Amino acid sequence: MYKIAFIGFDTVAKGLAEILIEKKSLLKEIYDFDFKVIAISDPIVGMIYNPLGISLEKALYLCKEGKKLDEELGEPGWDSLKVVKESEADIILEATPTNLETGEPGITHIKEALKAGKHVATTNKGPIALFYKELVDLSKEKGVELRFEGTVLSGTPTLNLALHDLAGIEIVEIRGIVNGTTNFILTEMEKGKTYEEALREAQRLGYAEAKPDADVEGFDALAKIVILSNVLLGGNLSPGDVERRGITELTLDDIERAKGEGKRWKLIAKAKKEGGRVEASVSPEPVSKEDFLYHIMGVINAVQFKTDILREVTIVGPGAGGREAGYALLTDMLDIHRTLKGRN
Ligand code: HSE
């Protein structure tokens, strides 16, 4: 039985908690995956530890009621670092807010967990975009597993598709729409809304943050293309190496002009391997009907891999949302489980 610890218990972790409640018996029956949650650590909802197991139903209920997870559910006095270093957890789920400049606090949680011999699954883009190679080396040195499917396209299988199902193939180019908020805004602008109106709608629906820069200035897409480049193309890019433009300068006039030419503006993230070098960029581009990205509307994301054998392979699906990203953590845990079983 796996002992799981949640570090960060906001939308994504709660999305996973719901899925774990719904699928607990199926996971055991079909995948032989049995678990108990022994720690939840979040500065807002509370920090508790209980090696006997924490009821996720009760934890979600308390959160909904705006109450702190208290002694009822576990032992207080634990914090995230103590959980990753000293708890009995086998798998750490790191889902704290992302920071694309320092990677903190996620990077410290992940490093300390790996050093302590714990497996890690994370949806946190900052640490993977900034420190992928270092973290992979550390996980190998410690003989533990590190997974991060949810850092790109939430639970829509993108990294694992390429790493597992396209094993043996060479990916030479990656191109896609990897940010749902900006694609939603551009879709709304096509319907006639101004940028400001479309942004407000995105905020009202919970896609865009009150401070929307990470999405609209292209930083989120930048982190994702850096991760795709480094993990799948063998690149060694830092966020600063990638040319980035967001969608804030696009006006309704630009949208209308493109429409007149049978085109649509899309925020395109792309990366290419050429002569051993990997180059990537994030920038708005007008795309024509013949381009598959023309047809990707709203918050949906899409990524296309150009390969040496299958030509183009495309994956389309949700790129955001609590349950959608929470599901990525589940697929990561199942993948860790499969890997460990394969070793025995
Ligand atoms: N804010 C992102 C998006 C989801 O709109 O696609 C998290 O990466």
Side-chain angles (χ1 to χ4, degrees), residues 125 150-151 153-154 178-182 207-209 214-215 220 224 299 301 319-321:
K125 288 176 279 287
T151 56
L153 262 65
S154 68
V178 295
N179 182 269
T181 302
T182 46
Y207 303 139
E209 309 276 337
D215 290 318
D220 176 76
K224 290 167 180 166
V299 285
N301 285 186

Side-chain angles (χ1 to χ4, degrees), residues 75-101:
E75 209 181 291
W78 285 71
D79 60 28
S80 300
L81 265 184
K82 191 165 169 187
V83 171
V84 299
K85 284 182 178 175
E86 297 173 29
S87 76
E88 284 177 26
D90 312 298
I91 303 180
I92 299 292
L93 301 174
E94 215 291 338
T96 60
T98 209
N99 177 322
L100 295 176
E101 279 161 22

Side-chain angles (χ1 to χ4, degrees), residues 6 8-20 22 60 93-95 122-123 125 150-151 153-156 205-207 209 299 318-331:
F6 280 90
F9 202 69
D10 200 0
T11 321
V12 171
K14 286 175 188 155
L16 172 65
E18 280 175 21
I19 298 171
L20 289 175
E22 288 161 22
L60 288 179
L93 301 174
E94 215 291 338
T122 185
T123 50
K125 288 176 279 287
T151 56
L153 262 65
S154 68
T156 302
L205 292 169
Y207 303 139
E209 309 276 337
V299 285
R323 279 174 70 89
E324 291 82 348
Y327 171 67
L329 291 172
L330 174 60
T331 61

Side-chain angles (χ1 to χ4, degrees), residues 157-169 171 228 232 305:
T158 311
L159 292 165
N160 287 337
L161 167 75
L163 290 170
H164 298 316
D165 300 316
L166 297 179
I169 224 162
I171 297 173
L228 287 165
L232 303 180
F305 300 117

Side-chain angles (χ1 to χ4, degrees), residues 22-327:
E22 288 161 22
K23 294 191 184 270
K24 186 165 175 58
S25 45
L26 175 140
L27 291 171
K28 169 96 179 81
E29 215 170 284
I30 302 188
Y31 303 99
D32 191 26
F33 181 81
D34 202 4
F35 67 90
K36 66 179 172 184
V37 173
I38 65 161
I40 297 178
S41 178
D42 183 282
I44 293 169
V45 310
M47 306 203 182
I48 49 165
Y49 181 57
N50 185 349
L52 298 175
I54 293 165
S55 159
L56 282 177
E57 286 90 340
K58 204 149 184 198
L60 288 179
Y61 171 77
L62 289 171
C63 290
K64 213 179 238 165
E65 295 290 303
K67 293 189 182 139
K68 282 240 174 197
L69 311 177
D70 53 14
E71 291 85 353
E72 240 184 287
L73 290 183
E75 209 181 291
W78 285 71
D79 60 28
S80 300
L81 265 184
K82 191 165 169 187
V83 171
V84 299
K85 284 182 178 175
E86 297 173 29
S87 76
E88 284 177 26
D90 312 298
I91 303 180
I92 299 292
L93 301 174
E94 215 291 338
T96 60
T98 209
N99 177 322
L100 295 176
E101 279 161 22
T102 64
E104 294 292 2
I107 183 63
T108 298
H109 298 152
I110 296 173
K111 270 192 195 165
E112 292 301 327
L114 297 173
K115 279 188 204 160
K118 296 174 167 64
H119 309 293
V120 174
T122 185
T123 50
N124 196 337
K125 288 176 279 287
I128 306 299
L130 294 164
F131 303 106
Y132 164 66
K133 288 220 157 55
E134 193 182 329
L135 291 176
V136 168
D137 288 349
L138 182 59
S139 68
K140 284 189 181 147
E141 185 194 319
K142 296 291 171 185
V144 288
E145 299 298 318
L146 169 69
R147 296 289 184 284
F148 42 86
E149 174 62 51
T151 56
V152 181
L153 262 65
S154 68
T156 302
T158 311
L159 292 165
N160 287 337
L161 167 75
L163 290 170
H164 298 316
D165 300 316
L166 297 179
I169 224 162
E170 189 184 8
I171 297 173
V172 290
E173 204 174 318
I174 301 171
R175 184 168 172 272
I177 293 172
V178 295
N179 182 269
T181 302
T182 46
N183 206 48
F184 174 83
I185 292 174
L186 294 174
T187 301
E188 290 300 298
M189 286 174 78
E190 276 204 38
K191 295 180 195 160
K193 287 198 174 85
T194 62
Y195 169 77
E196 285 75 20
E197 287 165 347
L199 172 60
R200 270 201 299 279
E201 182 67 358
Q203 285 167 326
R204 191 183 69 78
L205 292 169
Y207 303 139
E209 309 276 337
K211 195 173 176 304
D213 300 17
D215 290 318
V216 298
E217 298 290 359
F219 291 107
D220 176 76
L222 168 81
K224 290 167 180 166
I225 200 67
V226 167
I227 293 172
L228 287 165
S229 300
N230 292 349
V231 178
L232 303 180
L233 300 183
N236 192 15
L237 298 181
S238 300
D241 300 330
V242 178
E243 183 200 328
R244 172 195 52 82
R245 274 181 56 215
I247 62 163
T248 50
E249 283 163 23
L250 284 179
T251 63
L252 265 181
D253 278 351
D254 296 321
I255 304 281
E256 286 305 318
R257 205 169 312 121
K259 221 189 244 180
E261 293 166 8
K263 292 182 178 174
R264 273 182 183 146
W265 284 93
K266 295 288 181 191
L267 185 65
I268 308 289
K270 55 189 177 190
K272 200 174 184 173
K273 188 158 66 178
E274 229 166 27
R277 260 178 68 85
V278 176
E279 280 186 3
S281 65
V282 172
S283 177
E285 287 178 23
V287 298
S288 60
K289 282 196 178 74
E290 294 70 41
D291 189 327
F292 80 103
L293 292 178
Y294 177 94
H295 305 280
I296 306 298
M297 303 299 274
V299 285
I300 297 298
N301 285 186
V303 166
Q304 188 169 75
F305 300 117
K306 201 175 266 180
T307 74
D308 59 346
I309 297 174
L310 294 177
R311 295 179 295 282
E312 276 107 28
V313 176
T314 306
I315 179 98
V316 179
R323 279 174 70 89
E324 291 82 348
Y327 171 67

